Amino acid sequence: MTTICAVKHNGKTAIAGDGQVTMGEKFVTKDSAKKVRRIYGNKVAIGFAGGVADAFTLQEWFEQKLEKYSGDLQHAAVALAQDWRKDPTLQKLEAMLIAVNATDILLISGNGEVITPDTLSESGDQVIAVGSGGNFAQAAATALLSAGKADLTVEKIVETSVDIAGGIDVYTNHNVIVESF
């Protein structure tokens, strides 16, 4: 379980995730896992919630799709979602993936969904989050954006949002990794 949050604000995108790995419901086995990483020549960042082995499998498949579609994030995401629904191996994977680049944020799920977050304002702000603390992080990011905190960067918004979720959700910690474009 984990928390991943992505935000688009003032023409920039960022994604953040915590580092906690929990075995079952009782044991924190690691607090510094890197669940947010750059792929495709550092042009795309992904964050995943769910089983680590499943997430790495999805990352590999997604990178193949990005290569096949020359880095077209939306096309690669739809192709991954289609395969995820059809391929018997992928169907068993239990993870969710948020992918961002310099212009887009997408949530990719195992039900074949590719979701672009709603736009919150005329400025084009967007927020989406997944994982056990996802609702908390999404609420925090939305509140920060709604409060008109012009002094906050997109990086600070995602970091603060995951940190707030870490104060509420027992499966999320305060070791936050941020990637931005």
Side-chain angles (χ1 to χ4, degrees):
M1 309 255 180
T2 195
T3 299
I4 304 294
C5 182
V7 172
K8 183 176 184 179
H9 176 61
N10 289 336
K12 290 187 71 180
T13 59
I15 185 169
D18 76 296
Q20 184 167 309
V21 176
T22 309
M23 294 291 279
E25 294 183 15
K26 297 182 181 185
F27 303 104
V28 175
T29 56
K30 186 172 182 172
D31 68 356
S32 60
K34 189 174 180 187
K35 299 175 191 174
V36 171
R37 61 191 65 227
R38 285 181 177 261
I39 61 173
Y40 191 68
N42 291 327
K43 296 176 185 171
V44 173
I46 59 168
F48 51 83
V52 175
D54 292 352
F56 282 129
T57 301
L58 286 173
Q59 176 184 329
E60 290 172 12
W61 277 69
F62 190 50
E63 283 187 279
Q64 290 172 6
K65 298 300 180 189
L66 285 166
E67 291 291 335
K68 181 176 181 179
Y69 297 109
S70 304
D72 183 329
L73 190 67
Q74 293 193 4
H75 203 158
V78 169
L80 175 64
Q82 289 171 336
D83 284 355
W84 201 345
R85 293 214 16 123
K86 294 177 191 173
D87 187 285
T89 304
L90 287 177
Q91 286 176 355
K92 296 175 185 168
L93 300 181
E94 294 186 18
M96 295 185 85
L97 184 72
I98 294 179
V100 304
N101 63 13
T103 57
D104 297 305
I105 299 174
L106 298 173
L107 168 65
I108 309 161
S109 81
N111 330 11
E113 296 168 332
V114 176
I115 300 168
T116 301
D118 287 334
T119 301
L120 301 176
S121 66
E122 291 178 14
S123 65
D125 292 344
Q126 295 179 323
V127 177
I128 200 154
V130 296
S132 57
N135 291 337
F136 305 124
Q138 186 163 342
T142 302
L144 290 169
L145 289 166
S146 297
K149 296 288 186 182
D151 57 329
L152 290 180
T153 64
V154 69
E155 294 87 355
K156 191 65 176 170
I157 292 168
V158 292
E159 180 181 16
T160 301
S161 299
V162 173
D163 195 48
I164 288 170
I168 301 168
D169 177 43
V170 297
Y171 299 109
T172 301
N173 70 11
H174 300 284
N175 186 3
V176 181
I177 295 172
V178 177
E179 293 288 349
S180 65
F181 295 95

